[in-house]
Amino acid sequence: MSSQTFGKPDIEHSNPLARTMLKKLDYDQLTNCMRCGFCLPACPTFRETGVEPESPRGRIALMKAVVDGVMEPDQAFEDQMNHCLGCRACEPVCPADVKYGQLIEQTRDAIEDHAKHGAIVSGTRKLFFRGVFPHQNRMKLLGRSLRLYQKSGLQKVARGTGIMKLFPAHMREMEQILPEAASQGVVERIGERYPAKGQRIATVALFRGCIMDVLFADTNVNTVKLLSEAGFDVVIPKTQGCCGALHAHSGEMDQARELARVNVKAFKDAGVDYIVSNAGGCGALLVEYDHLLHEDESWAEDAAWFAKRVVDISTILVDKGRVPAFAEEAAEGAVPEAVAETGAAATITYQDSCHLRNVMKGSTAPRKLMKSVKGAHFCEMRDSDRCCGSAGIYNVTQPEMAGQILEHKMEHANATEAQYLLTSNPGCLLQMKLGIDKHGRGGDMKAMHIVDYLYERIARPGDEA
Amino acid sequence: MAEKALASKLRAIVGDRYYREDMEARVAHSYDGTPMLQALPDGVVYPASTAEVAAVMKVLAEHRVPLVSRGSGSNLCGGTVPLEGGIVMVMHRMNRILEVDLENLTATVQPGLITAEFIAHIESLGLFYPPDPSSMRISTIGGNIAECSGGLRGLKYGTTKDYVIGLEAVLASGEIIRTGGKLMKDVAGYDLTKLLVGSEGTLAIITEATLKLVPPPRAKKTMLAMYRDLYGAARTVSRIIEARIIPATLEFMDNPTIRVVDDFAKLGLPLDMEAILLIEQDGDPEAVERDIALIEEICIAERADRVQVAADREEAERLLTARRSAFTALARLRPTTILEDATVPRSKIADMVLRINEIARKYNVTIATFGHAGDGNLHPTATTDARDHDEVHRVEQAFAEIFEASIELGGTITGEHGVGIVKAPYLEWKVGSAGLDMMKGIKQAFDPHRLLNPGKLFAKETRKRVVLQHE
Ligand SMILES: Cc1cc2nc3c(=O)[nH]c(=O)nc-3n(C[C@H](O)[C@H](O)[C@H](O)COP(=O)(O)OP(=O)(O)OC[C@H]3O[C@@H](n4cnc5c(N)ncnc54)[C@H](O)[C@@H]3O)c2cc1C
Ligand code: SF4
Ligand code: SF4
């Protein structure tokens, strides 16, 4: 058998983007796609539109056509690449194991190199990607201003005066469902170490995330306590930063790599057994740090060390922990009226985080946990494994497609008649809150992070926090 | 790009959104599931009704522009590659189930309907539509009909042609015809329904189909038989049929396939086995029990090393997964996977597998074989790399010789994937020159200006037969 490998086509592209794509795209992956079409039914954008260019097979064909010099990458090409949710539902169904996620990242990276953003967009991008996300303290500051805005009554004023009407509709909608920002993150609230309850099983580190620690700081605290209940010593290295996922997915690869190095160092120094993530979007990039840094020899080994240890909160609880008993009626006030009145079980349903499911392969553990809650009935919603349209900042950049996907998602969610709609990722959680706001069947459905839901239902006598 | 006048006429028929000639649309309709083939169309049209299809075809006929009708482009014979440019017509928007007639047990559907969605609906009504190509989650009913697709249930239940009883189709001229109907009997003239099934988009565009439904089997049982001896496995196939048992499914995997499948799916398959048979029977519970017991006896008599009957549906699913993952596993070995489908009389399965192995060795290429043993339909599958021209050339030579061997053993060049571009040079081997002329005459009658899917079925030149070298 021949083991010769064959490189990229030997052509001089006159188009600069095509030239960069020729340089950046993994040609083997482009060739590995055998165009069987198995990925089509898994792809949300194909399901919504039914047209080939909106499918993984179509997008790969377009990328390959550019690299091969069959077509010049035009605006339509760039738009098509941006239309992809990056949910990676196409990867697990692909018989040829094509690494679509890498191809789309490489393509967006190339596009970004050539992007001529308008002044406002590039200003905002720079501010967020370079100026805010990478810096935990600035995230905090942003959080505090957001909190100030929410607390000071400015929010009410803004909503009342109709200033928000000046913003595009989807931004207004998002503003409505943003939770209250916390001025204190998880470390400020419980310190850098939290001991295991009972016999220690292992020492784990919490990856606190940047958005998580500002908008969902409670969830971070609950994650730590849940880990402790399950028998883990938890450390929260202070020097950790943003995971870089938003950068990577938007084509800012160098920034993403820089952030990865910061995190690898922070956690390597902490010397832990596992690195726990409670946000599917972050976790999926964290488990791929080895791939992200594979060309950087001095970091490759540590990155591999890091990637091997990353695990989602639900998975580590189920696979390694002593899962506490959960009961719908355990915590004071946690009994929904429906249960109290009828004695019937509360119904919970679950929206998979695409990245948790498709990249971290963590779809069974959350379900096991939810099914273990006494007095609650787990009802699988149709297409729970399909992207909700949130996809990082997709709902902001592609509001139309995201809105369409969300509407269909909520039809399925409503059909379960669940009181709790649980998720494992902040983006999905916000999107579900938005969904309930816009398309809910009125009143009694609540979107929650699975950690918060479970933590509230641990059967424990006289809890102190 | 299509001429301006033509484009504006097409837009007037389907609306601006549904006629496209930008590069994005053209590139994304330049290929199908067949490796190594690609050609750009001039435009892509997405009609919503039979009337639109007819109007589009009238315009194209007037301008003498060719048309390729396309379902999901999952075919493996180059059937939807627009070799001569022209327009690709995507049927996806015509995807409705028009009627399920519970009195006549028929369903009438549009061609763009996804097969699995149709099957799910039919099963929800407590009925059964047996054709189940492995691609059913993507492929369309129209594509299934045009390719006469078969599946794992083909042995007992037949293939698509056995379930199509009526069609509506648009001819190259733009005229609309109707054939057959909700009739179980119909001998009024030539059977145009059967002629259109398997016509690969070269005779007409199918716009509606009436399909026969049957009651579902009441019970099902699955087993796996493993052999150290290839002939034992092959003899088992013949002996089961001889014993007048027709299993619902009777599938075969050779040793190289077992190895890759196990390597990927980690099912704990025995790696030292030469062949595995996967057998499923369905029907009335007592009959199923009796058949499975008999089949087990036959397997053991033919020196199966191990026979394993699935205890429950879950275990059965695991076994079926083993077979279904054959293609998956093979596809991961090398970048280019060429899945062929030579078919021989089922008594010749073992001879054919041995011949395939000999030929692979001779050309120094990797070919694993699995397939529908009960139908005699084998899928010798080459794993290669399209960029290695030398190796690909050897693969092509090997396949030419495999088709030759297949015909020599009384078989055919394709059992279910169709002729398209890939098998066109070999068609004459199977049907002879008089047969080929007859087929060309039929094509001429339907499509005198060669507008429908030109370049398919009929090659410019027939391949010369390979001279077989017998040792
Ligand atoms: C992984 C995989 C597994 C497969 N397994 C099987 C299998 O088990 N059995 C099997 O038989 N095949 C199998 N196939 C082949 C393929 O899926 C079938 O041939 C299928 O029927 C094609 O359907 P499609 O909708 O994709 O049609 P397309 O590929 O789009 O078209 C196929 C042919 O039909 C014509 N056509 C499409 N729609 C119409 C219409 N409305 N009117 C007239 N002509 C039309 C096209 O012109 C073309 O010639 C497999 C393919 C893949 C990739
Ligand atoms: S499933 Fe994989 S090989 Fe098949 S078309 Fe999609 S990406 Fe390509
Ligand atoms: S990542 Fe998601 S949206 Fe993008 S091509 Fe894959 S399945 Fe479709």
Side-chain angles (χ1 to χ4, degrees):
Chain A
M1 201 204 288
S2 147
S3 60
Q4 208 180 335
T5 54
F6 301 86
K8 304 185 177 189
D10 187 17
I11 24 176
E12 260 304 316
H13 285 294
S14 56
N15 179 296
L17 174 52
R19 218 169 332 160
T20 313
M21 282 180 62
L22 176 66
K23 199 167 83 213
K24 293 205 165 172
L25 263 67
D26 183 338
Y27 199 71
D28 282 341
Q29 291 300 331
L30 287 176
T31 319
N32 278 352
C33 170
M34 57 181 170
R35 309 182 297 203
C36 65
F38 266 32
C39 50
L40 268 58
C43 174
T45 57
F46 179 75
R47 301 250 314 183
E48 291 296 333
T49 62
V51 300
E52 181 82 21
E54 295 269 11
S55 77
R57 178 173 71 172
R59 292 192 177 105
I60 293 171
L62 291 169
M63 294 172 195
K64 187 158 192 295
V66 169
V67 173
D68 287 344
V70 173
M71 74 180 269
E72 294 244 317
D74 50 8
Q75 190 57 46
F77 171 82
E78 290 187 25
D79 289 348
Q80 191 49 262
M81 296 305 132
N82 290 331
H83 253 189
C84 167
L85 293 152
C87 68
R88 296 170 67 172
C90 44
E91 285 188 22
V93 295
C94 171
D97 199 19
V98 174
K99 305 273 187 264
Y100 176 86
Q102 295 172 15
L103 287 172
I104 191 77
E105 264 170 27
Q106 289 155 355
T107 304
R108 287 183 178 167
D109 187 22
I111 291 176
E112 205 38 51
D113 281 358
H114 295 273
K116 293 184 268 323
H117 291 302
I120 294 184
V121 176
S122 64
T124 319
R125 280 182 78 99
K126 232 200 208 116
L127 176 66
F128 276 94
F129 286 136
R130 313 234 157 114
V132 181
F133 288 143
H135 306 282
Q136 200 67 28
N137 52 346
R138 293 189 201 164
M139 268 310 278
K140 290 271 137 65
L141 196 65
L142 183 73
R144 272 196 282 274
S145 3
L146 186 60
R147 188 178 159 80
L148 192 66
Y149 160 77
Q150 289 167 332
K151 284 276 148 186
S152 65
L154 253 180
Q155 185 173 42
K156 280 212 187 81
V157 175
R159 285 180 189 169
T161 56
I163 277 189
M164 289 311 290
K165 291 213 183 77
L166 296 175
F167 291 92
H170 58 276
M171 292 286 266
R172 254 183 285 140
E173 289 161 7
M174 276 317 260
E175 192 267 353
Q176 302 267 344
I177 48 100
L178 273 187
E180 208 168 272
S183 57
Q184 290 198 315
V186 57
V187 174
E188 290 80 33
R189 287 173 49 186
I190 58 171
E192 284 177 63
R193 278 192 172 270
Y194 202 87
K197 285 249 174 90
Q199 181 89 36
R200 184 176 64 95
I201 297 172
T203 303
V204 305
L206 171 73
F207 183 82
R208 67 183 163 190
C210 47
I211 297 179
M212 276 306 289
D213 214 36
V214 170
L215 290 182
F216 301 99
D218 289 346
T219 309
N220 272 350
V221 171
N222 288 344
T223 305
V224 172
K225 291 185 177 170
L226 199 52
L227 282 165
S228 150
E229 291 277 346
F232 300 105
D233 267 357
V234 189
V235 291
I236 314 161
K238 229 175 152 175
T239 48
Q240 63 175 299
C242 167
C243 64
L246 291 180
H247 305 76
H249 300 156
S250 311
E252 306 269 353
M253 293 313 274
D254 289 339
Q255 274 286 318
R257 276 188 278 269
E258 198 40 53
L259 292 167
R261 290 188 194 102
V262 170
N263 285 325
V264 169
K265 177 155 183 2
F267 287 89
K268 190 84 213 265
D269 290 349
V272 290
D273 301 315
Y274 299 99
I275 298 160
V276 179
S277 143
N278 58 9
C282 304
L285 189 72
L286 300 178
V287 292
E288 290 187 340
Y289 269 8
D290 52 342
H291 164 71
L292 191 65
L293 295 177
H294 77 281
E295 277 171 1
D296 189 342
E297 263 174 42
S298 50
W299 284 89
E301 200 179 309
D302 284 354
W305 176 92
F306 182 98
K308 250 200 340 252
R309 277 163 182 77
V310 176
V311 57
D312 180 66
I313 170 74
S314 295
T315 307
I316 194 169
L317 287 181
V318 170
D319 289 358
K320 305 270 188 289
R322 287 189 297 272
V323 183
F326 302 110
E328 189 54 56
E329 64 276 11
E332 205 81 51
V335 186
E337 267 168 44
V339 184
E341 275 168 22
T342 62
T347 302
I348 33 181
T349 192
Y350 182 68
Q351 164 62 33
D352 275 299
S353 145
C354 297
H355 283 115
L356 176 55
R357 184 185 183 95
N358 301 323
V359 186
M360 298 182 81
K361 313 278 183 241
S363 62
T364 47
R367 289 175 169 77
K368 274 197 186 139
L369 290 170
M370 287 179 286
K371 286 177 186 163
S372 76
V373 178
K374 277 213 199 73
H377 161 64
F378 175 71
C379 175
E380 188 79 68
M381 79 163 126
R382 206 179 127 194
D383 291 350
S384 57
D385 60 346
R386 202 154 281 140
C387 182
C388 62
S390 151
I393 51 172
Y394 188 91
N395 48 4
V396 181
T397 58
Q398 305 284 341
E400 204 176 311
M401 177 72 79
Q404 206 176 322
I405 292 173
L406 180 60
E407 194 171 341
H408 290 152
K409 175 64 61 187
M410 290 315 295
E411 282 165 21
H412 300 321
N414 290 340
T416 63
E417 304 199 341
Q419 284 87 29
Y420 296 100
L421 172 50
L422 305 188
T423 71
S424 293
N425 184 51
C428 311
L429 180 55
L430 287 178
Q431 179 83 340
M432 291 299 92
K433 284 178 189 266
L434 180 66
I436 293 173
D437 240 32
K438 285 181 79 174
H439 313 285
R441 62 194 145 78
D444 64 342
M445 187 186 269
K446 189 174 173 196
M448 280 180 95
H449 194 292
I450 185 168
V451 163
D452 297 329
Y453 176 84
L454 290 176
Y455 184 71
E456 279 181 16
R457 281 154 187 81
I458 297 178
R460 62 192 111 82
D463 186 42
E464 77 287 2
Chain B
M1 227 150 286
E3 1 162 353
K4 277 224 165 68
L6 173 68
S8 63
K9 282 183 203 166
L10 294 178
R11 288 207 172 89
I13 297 167
V14 293
D16 284 351
R17 271 186 73 184
Y18 295 112
Y19 174 71
R20 293 178 60 178
E21 47 184 33
D22 52 292
M23 269 316 267
E24 181 185 90
R26 291 171 64 205
V27 166
H29 295 89
S30 62
Y31 53 81
D32 52 33
T34 323
M36 302 183 292
L37 293 175
Q38 189 157 19
L40 288 177
D42 297 306
V44 183
V45 66
Y46 306 84
S49 65
T50 304
E52 285 187 9
V53 173
V56 166
M57 207 52 236
K58 281 214 168 85
V59 170
L60 295 182
E62 184 193 322
H63 288 253
R64 296 275 194 275
V65 170
L67 176 115
V68 180
S69 41
R70 176 181 161 116
S72 297
S74 74
N75 76 87
L76 299 167
C77 63
T80 51
V81 176
L83 267 191
E84 301 185 10
I87 305 297
V88 167
M89 179 183 275
V90 182
M91 309 307 292
H92 274 174
R93 290 177 71 212
M94 295 176 64
N95 60 6
R96 277 179 305 136
I97 299 175
L98 300 171
E99 184 201 31
V100 179
D101 182 339
L102 294 175
E103 285 176 358
N104 287 305
L105 291 192
T106 64
T108 303
V109 304
Q110 291 186 312
L113 179 64
I114 301 294
T115 311
E117 285 174 20
F118 174 63
I119 291 180
H121 182 72
I122 292 309
E123 288 181 354
S124 77
L125 298 174
L127 286 165
F128 188 36
Y129 176 74
D132 62 338
S134 307
S135 55
M136 66 182 178
R137 298 228 325 125
I138 30 170
S139 63
T140 63
I141 293 287
N144 290 174
I145 294 174
E147 296 288 6
C148 187
S149 299
L152 293 193
R153 305 195 276 239
L155 171 57
K156 181 169 178 176
Y157 292 99
T159 59
T160 304
K161 68 174 182 301
D162 300 304
Y163 295 86
V164 181
I165 53 176
L167 290 172
E168 177 194 74
V170 172
L171 300 176
S173 59
E175 301 289 330
I176 300 170
I177 60 165
R178 283 191 160 272
T179 74
K182 290 183 190 172
L183 305 165
M184 295 303 137
K185 286 180 166 184
D186 182 6
V187 291
Y190 297 141
D191 190 343
L192 293 181
T193 312
K194 286 284 188 289
L195 187 57
L196 290 181
V197 177
S199 64
E200 304 190 18
T202 61
L203 298 183
I205 306 157
I206 293 156
T207 48
E208 196 183 294
T210 301
L211 307 168
K212 185 169 84 177
L213 307 174
V214 293
R218 287 172 49 214
K220 213 190 259 187
K221 244 187 159 143
T222 310
M223 61 186 277
L224 205 55
M226 303 162 214
Y227 297 84
R228 273 180 211 284
D229 164 29
L230 197 62
Y231 269 98
R235 262 196 318 268
T236 304
V237 175
S238 325
R239 287 281 315 277
I240 293 174
I241 312 286
E242 265 170 36
R244 308 220 180 345
I245 303 171
I246 304 291
T249 297
L250 181 40
E251 296 287 311
F252 168 88
M253 282 196 281
D254 74 352
N255 178 277
T257 313
I258 299 170
R259 283 172 178 277
V260 285
V261 165
D262 198 65
D263 193 31
F264 282 100
K266 309 274 182 253
L267 288 157
L269 298 175
L271 300 183
D272 51 346
M273 294 295 157
E274 279 306 310
I276 287 183
L277 291 177
L278 172 73
I279 307 163
E280 190 162 270
Q281 181 58 308
D282 63 11
D284 285 335
E286 315 81 61
V288 170
E289 288 298 333
R290 205 177 48 231
D291 283 357
I292 286 287
L294 256 171
I295 293 172
E296 205 174 339
E297 253 171 53
I298 294 173
C299 293
I300 292 166
E302 291 302 337
R303 312 234 320 278
D305 207 64
R306 204 162 8 121
V307 182
Q308 185 186 336
V309 179
D312 48 31
R313 246 3 263 169
E314 216 165 280
E315 201 182 330
E317 270 312 312
R318 259 212 332 270
L319 298 181
L320 288 168
T321 308
R323 160 60 181 91
R324 289 205 200 101
S325 58
F327 178 60
T328 308
L330 288 165
R332 289 174 181 223
L333 284 184
R334 307 263 319 268
T336 312
T337 312
I338 307 179
L339 177 84
E340 272 304 347
D341 79 331
T343 300
V344 292
R346 42 199 171 202
S347 59
K348 293 289 198 301
I349 289 271
D351 297 314
M352 188 63 199
V353 174
L354 290 184
R355 288 285 276 279
I356 292 169
N357 291 346
E358 249 167 52
I359 294 167
R361 229 174 296 127
K362 172 175 163 191
Y363 289 98
N364 186 26
V365 292
T366 310
I367 298 181
T369 303
F370 59 94
H372 318 300
D375 308 339
N377 187 182
L378 291 173
H379 291 310
T381 302
T383 54
T384 175
D385 187 332
R387 293 163 291 180
D388 184 341
H389 299 293
D390 178 57
E391 187 178 289
V392 168
H393 182 63
R394 280 183 280 124
V395 169
E396 277 169 358
Q397 284 178 313
F399 273 125
E401 221 170 292
I402 287 171
F403 301 144
E404 173 113 33
S406 167
I407 288 179
E408 215 178 75
L409 292 170
T412 180
I413 54 168
T414 168
E416 57 179 19
H417 292 168
V419 175
I421 303 172
V422 176
K423 301 294 179 61
Y426 307 103
L427 183 58
E428 193 178 331
W429 293 10
K430 167 66 179 135
V431 300
S433 68
L436 196 61
D437 285 344
M438 202 58 226
M439 289 188 185
K440 285 180 176 164
I442 294 171
K443 168 78 177 168
Q444 176 71 18
F446 270 87
D447 180 17
H449 302 297
R450 290 181 70 249
L451 297 179
L452 294 176
N453 213 354
K456 312 297 162 64
L457 278 182
F458 309 113
K460 293 215 172 64
E461 254 178 89
T462 290
R463 282 282 170 95
K464 282 207 269 319
R465 291 265 182 131
V466 183
V467 184
L468 284 186
Q469 290 158 359
H470 297 285
E471 277 102 308

